[in-house]
Amino acid sequence: MIFEKIPTIRTSDELLDKAFKRGVRAASGKKSSSRASFLESQESMLLTSANILTDNLANISKKFPNFDELPDFYYELTDILIGVDRLRTSLSRVAWTSEKIHDLTREYLGKMRGSPTPENLRKQCFGRIGSLMGSIDKDLLFLNEARNILRKLPDVHEEPTIVVAGYPNTGKSSFVTAATKATPEVAPYPFTTKGISIGHFSIAGQRYQVVDTPGLLDRPMSKRNDIELQAITALKYLDAVVLFLIDASESCGYTIEEQKNLLQEVRGQFDVPILVVFSKSDLPYSQDLGLTDICMSMATGEGIEEVLSVLVEMVAGKKDDSIGVQT
Protein backbone atom coordinates (compact mmCIF):
# COMPACT_ATOMS: atom_id res chain seq x y z
CA MET A 1 0.00 0.00 0.00
CA ILE A 2 1.12 3.54 -0.74
CA PHE A 3 1.97 4.45 2.88
CA GLU A 4 3.46 1.13 3.99
CA LYS A 5 7.08 2.19 3.52
CA ILE A 6 6.90 5.04 6.02
CA PRO A 7 9.08 3.89 8.95
CA THR A 8 8.45 4.55 12.62
CA ILE A 9 9.64 8.09 13.29
CA ARG A 10 11.68 8.50 16.44
CA THR A 11 11.53 11.46 18.78
CA SER A 12 14.28 14.08 18.93
CA ASP A 13 15.64 12.60 22.16
CA GLU A 14 15.71 9.09 20.70
CA LEU A 15 17.55 10.25 17.60
CA LEU A 16 20.04 12.30 19.61
CA ASP A 17 20.68 9.40 21.97
CA LYS A 18 21.27 7.04 19.04
CA ALA A 19 23.53 9.52 17.25
CA PHE A 20 25.66 10.46 20.25
CA LYS A 21 26.13 6.84 21.32
CA ARG A 22 27.34 5.96 17.83
CA GLY A 23 29.60 9.01 17.90
CA VAL A 24 31.18 7.98 21.20
CA ARG A 25 31.68 4.47 19.87
CA ALA A 26 33.38 5.82 16.75
CA ALA A 27 35.69 8.03 18.81
CA SER A 28 36.63 5.18 21.15
CA GLY A 29 38.15 3.35 18.23
CA LYS A 30 40.62 6.18 17.62
CA LYS A 31 43.89 6.51 19.50
CA SER A 32 44.36 9.80 21.36
CA SER A 33 48.05 9.61 22.26
CA SER A 34 48.88 12.71 20.23
CA ARG A 35 47.16 15.95 19.36
CA ALA A 36 46.55 14.73 15.82
CA SER A 37 44.93 11.50 16.97
CA PHE A 38 42.89 13.36 19.63
CA LEU A 39 41.62 15.76 16.98
CA GLU A 40 40.77 12.81 14.78
CA SER A 41 38.75 11.20 17.57
CA GLN A 42 36.80 14.43 18.19
CA GLU A 43 36.12 14.88 14.48
CA SER A 44 35.02 11.26 14.20
CA MET A 45 32.64 11.67 17.15
CA LEU A 46 31.05 14.80 15.65
CA LEU A 47 30.90 13.56 12.07
CA THR A 48 29.44 10.16 12.98
CA SER A 49 26.77 11.72 15.20
CA ALA A 50 25.84 14.30 12.58
CA ASN A 51 25.64 11.70 9.81
CA ILE A 52 23.28 9.56 11.87
CA LEU A 53 20.97 12.54 12.39
CA THR A 54 21.08 13.91 8.85
CA ASP A 55 20.53 10.46 7.34
CA ASN A 56 17.59 9.69 9.61
CA LEU A 57 15.95 13.07 9.04
CA ALA A 58 16.46 12.94 5.27
CA ASN A 59 15.03 9.42 5.22
CA ILE A 60 11.81 10.65 6.84
CA SER A 61 11.19 13.09 4.02
CA LYS A 62 12.01 10.48 1.37
CA LYS A 63 9.73 7.80 2.80
CA PHE A 64 6.62 9.97 2.77
CA PRO A 65 5.05 9.95 -0.70
CA ASN A 66 5.12 12.99 -2.96
CA PHE A 67 1.72 14.53 -2.29
CA ASP A 68 1.57 16.04 -5.79
CA GLU A 69 1.72 12.50 -7.18
CA LEU A 70 -0.78 10.90 -4.80
CA PRO A 71 -3.96 9.49 -6.34
CA ASP A 72 -6.82 11.92 -5.74
CA PHE A 73 -8.56 9.47 -3.40
CA TYR A 74 -5.60 9.19 -1.05
CA TYR A 75 -4.76 12.89 -1.31
CA GLU A 76 -8.24 13.84 -0.11
CA LEU A 77 -8.26 11.27 2.68
CA THR A 78 -4.82 12.45 3.80
CA ASP A 79 -6.02 16.04 3.79
CA ILE A 80 -9.14 15.08 5.77
CA LEU A 81 -7.34 13.02 8.40
CA ILE A 82 -4.03 14.84 8.75
CA GLY A 83 -3.90 17.99 6.64
CA VAL A 84 -1.63 17.94 3.59
CA ASP A 85 -0.37 21.48 4.17
CA ARG A 86 0.54 20.67 7.76
CA LEU A 87 2.35 17.52 6.63
CA ARG A 88 4.29 19.46 4.03
CA THR A 89 5.28 22.07 6.61
CA SER A 90 6.57 19.49 9.09
CA LEU A 91 8.41 17.53 6.41
CA SER A 92 10.01 20.74 5.13
CA ARG A 93 11.16 21.63 8.65
CA VAL A 94 12.66 18.17 9.11
CA ALA A 95 14.44 18.35 5.73
CA TRP A 96 15.75 21.85 6.51
CA THR A 97 17.07 20.65 9.88
CA SER A 98 18.89 17.79 8.19
CA GLU A 99 20.62 20.23 5.85
CA LYS A 100 21.34 22.69 8.66
CA ILE A 101 22.99 20.00 10.80
CA HIS A 102 25.11 19.00 7.82
CA ASP A 103 26.24 22.60 7.20
CA LEU A 104 26.83 23.26 10.90
CA THR A 105 28.97 20.14 11.22
CA ARG A 106 31.15 21.13 8.28
CA GLU A 107 31.57 24.58 9.76
CA TYR A 108 32.69 23.24 13.14
CA LEU A 109 34.97 20.61 11.64
CA GLY A 110 36.86 23.45 9.95
CA LYS A 111 37.07 25.39 13.22
CA MET A 112 38.27 22.35 15.16
CA ARG A 113 41.22 21.71 12.87
CA GLY A 114 42.75 25.07 13.69
CA SER A 115 41.82 25.18 17.38
CA PRO A 116 43.86 24.20 20.46
CA THR A 117 40.60 23.07 22.13
CA PRO A 118 38.72 20.96 19.55
CA GLU A 119 36.81 19.16 22.31
CA ASN A 120 35.14 22.42 23.43
CA LEU A 121 34.12 23.20 19.86
CA ARG A 122 32.75 19.70 19.40
CA LYS A 123 30.66 20.11 22.56
CA GLN A 124 29.48 23.51 21.35
CA CYS A 125 28.42 22.01 18.06
CA PHE A 126 26.61 19.19 19.88
CA GLY A 127 24.73 21.84 21.85
CA ARG A 128 23.60 23.64 18.72
CA ILE A 129 22.62 20.36 17.08
CA GLY A 130 20.59 19.49 20.17
CA SER A 131 18.76 22.84 19.91
CA LEU A 132 17.99 22.22 16.25
CA MET A 133 16.60 18.78 17.04
CA GLY A 134 14.54 20.20 19.90
CA SER A 135 12.97 22.71 17.53
CA ILE A 136 11.45 19.91 15.42
CA ASP A 137 10.42 17.61 18.25
CA LYS A 138 6.72 18.45 17.76
CA ASP A 139 7.08 17.90 14.02
CA LEU A 140 8.57 14.46 14.56
CA LEU A 141 5.79 13.51 16.98
CA PHE A 142 3.16 14.77 14.55
CA LEU A 143 4.70 12.92 11.60
CA ASN A 144 4.79 9.66 13.53
CA GLU A 145 1.13 10.06 14.49
CA ALA A 146 0.34 10.78 10.84
CA ARG A 147 2.34 7.72 9.78
CA ASN A 148 0.35 5.50 12.16
CA ILE A 149 -2.95 6.79 10.78
CA LEU A 150 -2.00 6.65 7.11
CA ARG A 151 -0.68 3.09 7.32
CA LYS A 152 -4.17 1.98 8.42
CA LEU A 153 -5.90 3.36 5.34
CA PRO A 154 -7.46 0.64 3.21
CA ASP A 155 -5.69 -0.57 0.09
CA VAL A 156 -8.19 0.91 -2.34
CA HIS A 157 -7.22 1.11 -6.01
CA GLU A 158 -8.25 3.56 -8.67
CA GLU A 159 -10.40 1.09 -10.53
CA PRO A 160 -14.14 0.54 -11.06
CA THR A 161 -15.65 0.48 -7.58
CA ILE A 162 -18.93 -0.64 -6.06
CA VAL A 163 -19.68 0.85 -2.65
CA VAL A 164 -22.16 -1.19 -0.63
CA ALA A 165 -24.26 1.02 1.62
CA GLY A 166 -27.20 0.77 3.98
CA TYR A 167 -27.95 0.26 7.63
CA PRO A 168 -26.17 -2.43 9.66
CA ASN A 169 -27.29 -6.04 9.26
CA THR A 170 -28.85 -5.52 5.84
CA GLY A 171 -26.42 -7.98 4.25
CA LYS A 172 -23.63 -5.67 3.07
CA SER A 173 -20.65 -7.75 4.19
CA SER A 174 -22.36 -10.94 3.06
CA PHE A 175 -22.79 -9.44 -0.40
CA VAL A 176 -19.09 -8.54 -0.59
CA THR A 177 -18.22 -12.12 0.30
CA ALA A 178 -20.69 -13.61 -2.17
CA ALA A 179 -19.77 -11.25 -5.00
CA THR A 180 -16.03 -11.79 -4.71
CA LYS A 181 -16.21 -15.54 -4.02
CA ALA A 182 -13.71 -15.11 -1.19
CA THR A 183 -13.39 -13.85 2.33
CA PRO A 184 -12.96 -10.08 1.93
CA GLU A 185 -9.87 -8.30 3.09
CA VAL A 186 -10.66 -6.38 6.26
CA ALA A 187 -8.68 -3.22 7.01
CA PRO A 188 -8.96 -0.90 10.03
CA TYR A 189 -10.46 2.43 9.02
CA PRO A 190 -9.72 5.54 11.05
CA PHE A 191 -13.12 7.18 10.62
CA THR A 192 -14.82 4.73 12.98
CA THR A 193 -13.98 1.90 15.35
CA LYS A 194 -15.00 -0.60 12.68
CA GLY A 195 -13.23 -1.65 9.52
CA ILE A 196 -14.03 -1.73 5.86
CA SER A 197 -14.15 -4.89 3.80
CA ILE A 198 -12.73 -4.96 0.29
CA GLY A 199 -13.17 -7.73 -2.24
CA HIS A 200 -12.57 -8.06 -5.98
CA PHE A 201 -14.13 -9.83 -8.92
CA SER A 202 -13.34 -9.81 -12.63
CA ILE A 203 -15.60 -9.87 -15.68
CA ALA A 204 -14.27 -9.94 -19.23
CA GLY A 205 -10.78 -9.07 -18.05
CA GLN A 206 -11.91 -6.03 -16.08
CA ARG A 207 -11.36 -6.07 -12.32
CA TYR A 208 -13.90 -4.47 -9.99
CA GLN A 209 -13.51 -3.76 -6.30
CA VAL A 210 -16.41 -4.04 -3.89
CA VAL A 211 -16.20 -1.90 -0.77
CA ASP A 212 -18.35 -2.42 2.31
CA THR A 213 -18.44 0.76 4.40
CA PRO A 214 -19.92 -0.30 7.76
CA GLY A 215 -18.95 2.87 9.60
CA LEU A 216 -19.60 5.41 6.90
CA LEU A 217 -23.15 5.13 5.67
CA ASP A 218 -24.83 3.40 8.59
CA ARG A 219 -26.12 6.59 10.18
CA PRO A 220 -28.30 9.42 8.93
CA MET A 221 -26.29 12.12 7.18
CA SER A 222 -27.58 14.73 9.60
CA LYS A 223 -25.69 12.97 12.40
CA ARG A 224 -22.39 12.67 10.55
CA ASN A 225 -19.37 14.85 11.14
CA ASP A 226 -17.48 16.65 8.39
CA ILE A 227 -14.70 14.05 8.24
CA GLU A 228 -17.15 11.22 7.56
CA LEU A 229 -19.00 13.21 4.91
CA GLN A 230 -15.81 14.21 3.12
CA ALA A 231 -14.54 10.65 3.29
CA ILE A 232 -17.57 9.40 1.41
CA THR A 233 -17.22 12.23 -1.08
CA ALA A 234 -13.68 11.03 -1.76
CA LEU A 235 -15.11 7.87 -3.30
CA LYS A 236 -16.07 9.90 -6.36
CA TYR A 237 -12.46 9.52 -7.47
CA LEU A 238 -12.87 5.75 -7.72
CA ASP A 239 -15.49 5.61 -10.51
CA ALA A 240 -17.85 4.44 -7.80
CA VAL A 241 -21.44 3.34 -8.02
CA VAL A 242 -23.45 2.62 -4.89
CA LEU A 243 -25.42 -0.50 -4.07
CA PHE A 244 -27.92 0.48 -1.39
CA LEU A 245 -29.44 -2.48 0.46
CA ILE A 246 -32.85 -2.29 2.10
CA ASP A 247 -34.06 -5.01 4.45
CA ALA A 248 -37.80 -4.87 3.87
CA SER A 249 -38.34 -7.53 6.55
CA GLU A 250 -36.94 -5.08 9.13
CA SER A 251 -35.05 -7.98 10.73
CA CYS A 252 -31.97 -5.75 10.62
CA GLY A 253 -33.39 -3.76 13.52
CA TYR A 254 -34.27 -0.62 11.54
CA THR A 255 -37.67 0.33 10.19
CA ILE A 256 -38.37 0.66 6.52
CA GLU A 257 -39.02 4.35 7.05
CA GLU A 258 -35.58 4.83 8.62
CA GLN A 259 -33.95 2.99 5.72
CA LYS A 260 -35.87 5.04 3.14
CA ASN A 261 -34.83 8.26 4.87
CA LEU A 262 -31.18 7.24 4.78
CA LEU A 263 -31.51 6.36 1.10
CA GLN A 264 -32.90 9.80 0.33
CA GLU A 265 -30.10 11.46 2.29
CA VAL A 266 -27.49 9.46 0.39
CA ARG A 267 -29.10 10.43 -2.90
CA GLY A 268 -29.11 14.07 -1.90
CA GLN A 269 -25.57 14.07 -0.61
CA PHE A 270 -23.70 12.17 -3.32
CA ASP A 271 -23.83 12.59 -7.07
CA VAL A 272 -23.21 8.93 -7.91
CA PRO A 273 -25.36 6.24 -9.54
CA ILE A 274 -27.29 4.25 -6.91
CA LEU A 275 -28.88 0.84 -7.28
CA VAL A 276 -31.47 0.05 -4.60
CA VAL A 277 -31.95 -3.65 -3.88
CA PHE A 278 -34.16 -5.56 -1.48
CA SER A 279 -31.91 -7.84 0.54
CA LYS A 280 -33.11 -10.92 2.44
CA SER A 281 -35.69 -11.82 -0.19
CA ASP A 282 -36.02 -15.24 1.48
CA LEU A 283 -37.74 -13.54 4.43
CA PRO A 284 -41.34 -12.26 4.33
CA TYR A 285 -41.66 -8.55 3.55
CA SER A 286 -43.72 -6.39 5.85
CA GLN A 287 -44.88 -4.24 2.91
CA ASP A 288 -44.29 -3.55 -0.77
CA LEU A 289 -41.95 -0.58 -1.01
CA GLY A 290 -42.07 -0.08 -4.74
CA LEU A 291 -38.51 1.27 -4.75
CA THR A 292 -36.92 -1.32 -7.03
CA ASP A 293 -37.69 -4.49 -8.97
CA ILE A 294 -34.56 -6.37 -7.88
CA CYS A 295 -34.63 -8.70 -4.91
CA MET A 296 -31.65 -10.55 -3.51
CA SER A 297 -30.95 -13.14 -0.84
CA MET A 298 -27.56 -13.96 0.59
CA ALA A 299 -29.05 -17.10 2.14
CA THR A 300 -30.33 -18.61 -1.13
CA GLY A 301 -28.17 -16.79 -3.68
CA GLU A 302 -31.24 -15.38 -5.42
CA GLY A 303 -30.58 -12.23 -7.43
CA ILE A 304 -26.84 -11.92 -6.72
CA GLU A 305 -25.74 -12.45 -10.33
CA GLU A 306 -28.46 -10.12 -11.59
CA VAL A 307 -27.39 -7.40 -9.18
CA LEU A 308 -23.74 -7.77 -10.19
CA SER A 309 -24.68 -7.55 -13.86
CA VAL A 310 -26.65 -4.35 -13.33
CA LEU A 311 -23.84 -2.83 -11.27
CA VAL A 312 -21.28 -3.59 -13.98
CA GLU A 313 -23.55 -1.90 -16.54
CA MET A 314 -23.86 1.12 -14.24
CA VAL A 315 -20.08 1.36 -13.91
CA ALA A 316 -19.72 1.20 -17.70
CA GLY A 317 -22.41 3.84 -18.11
CA LYS A 318 -20.70 6.10 -15.60
CA LYS A 319 -17.44 5.80 -17.52
CA ASP A 320 -19.17 6.51 -20.84
CA ASP A 321 -20.82 9.60 -19.35
CA SER A 322 -17.43 10.80 -18.10
CA ILE A 323 -15.88 10.35 -21.55
CA GLY A 324 -18.79 12.18 -23.12
CA VAL A 325 -18.32 15.16 -20.82
CA GLN A 326 -14.60 15.37 -21.63
CA THR A 327 -15.18 15.37 -25.38
Side-chain angles (χ1 to χ4, degrees), residues 21 23 37 41 46 92 114-115 142 144 155 183 204 215-216 226 265 267 310:
K21 282 182 177 178
S37 60
S41 70
L46 176 56
S92 294
S115 171
F142 164 68
N144 194 55
D155 190 9
T183 302
L216 300 179
D226 290 341
E265 289 178 326
R267 279 177 167 160
V310 173

Side-chain angles (χ1 to χ4, degrees), residues 289-304:
L289 298 179
L291 293 175
T292 179
D293 294 328
I294 301 181
C295 298
M296 181 173 64
S297 169
M298 296 301 103
T300 65
E302 176 195 359
I304 294 176

Side-chain angles (χ1 to χ4, degrees), residues 118-323:
E119 184 178 10
N120 291 340
L121 287 170
R122 189 264 302 162
K123 290 179 179 178
Q124 186 180 102
C125 189
F126 272 5
R128 293 184 64 180
I129 288 174
S131 296
L132 284 170
M133 291 298 297
S135 71
I136 59 168
D137 190 50
K138 291 183 179 179
D139 295 291
L140 294 173
L141 290 170
F142 164 68
L143 290 172
N144 194 55
E145 291 172 1
R147 173 255 186 198
N148 292 336
I149 292 172
L150 293 174
R151 282 172 58 88
K152 293 179 181 179
L153 286 176
D155 190 9
V156 179
H157 301 274
E158 287 197 351
E159 60 188 4
T161 302
I162 298 163
V163 178
V164 188
Y167 270 96
N169 304 316
T170 55
K172 300 191 302 297
S173 296
S174 296
F175 174 79
V176 175
T177 301
T180 59
K181 303 295 191 295
T183 302
E185 167 193 355
V186 178
Y189 209 62
F191 301 111
T192 66
T193 57
K194 300 180 182 180
I196 73 167
S197 299
I198 301 175
H200 300 88
F201 67 91
S202 295
I203 294 180
Q206 173 65 61
R207 194 173 87 146
Y208 300 83
Q209 63 186 349
V210 187
V211 181
D212 172 21
T213 55
L216 300 179
L217 290 177
D218 288 345
R219 295 183 293 159
M221 294 297 165
S222 59
K223 295 183 179 180
R224 298 204 157 278
N225 59 44
D226 290 341
I227 289 178
E228 291 169 314
L229 291 175
Q230 291 177 67
I232 294 297
T233 303
L235 292 175
K236 67 178 178 282
Y237 296 117
L238 302 174
D239 291 329
V241 300
V242 172
L243 168 63
F244 193 96
L245 298 184
I246 288 183
D247 175 8
S249 72
E250 298 185 343
S251 63
C252 63
Y254 298 91
T255 66
I256 291 175
E257 195 62 30
E258 287 175 316
Q259 296 178 69
K260 288 172 65 177
N261 288 340
L262 179 57
L263 171 60
Q264 294 307 314
E265 289 178 326
V266 170
R267 279 177 167 160
Q269 184 70 36
F270 309 111
D271 184 20
V272 293
I274 300 175
L275 175 65
V276 183
V277 171
F278 291 161
S279 63
K280 305 182 183 180
S281 61
D282 55 301
L283 300 179
Y285 296 132
S286 56
Q287 59 179 285
D288 181 10
L289 298 179
L291 293 175
T292 179
D293 294 328
I294 301 181
C295 298
M296 181 173 64
S297 169
M298 296 301 103
T300 65
E302 176 195 359
I304 294 176
E305 292 301 324
E306 180 185 1
V307 168
L308 280 174
S309 178
V310 173
L311 288 169
V312 168
E313 291 178 5
M314 290 171 65
V315 170
K318 187 173 186 292
K319 185 177 296 186
D320 290 342
D321 290 343
S322 176
I323 293 173

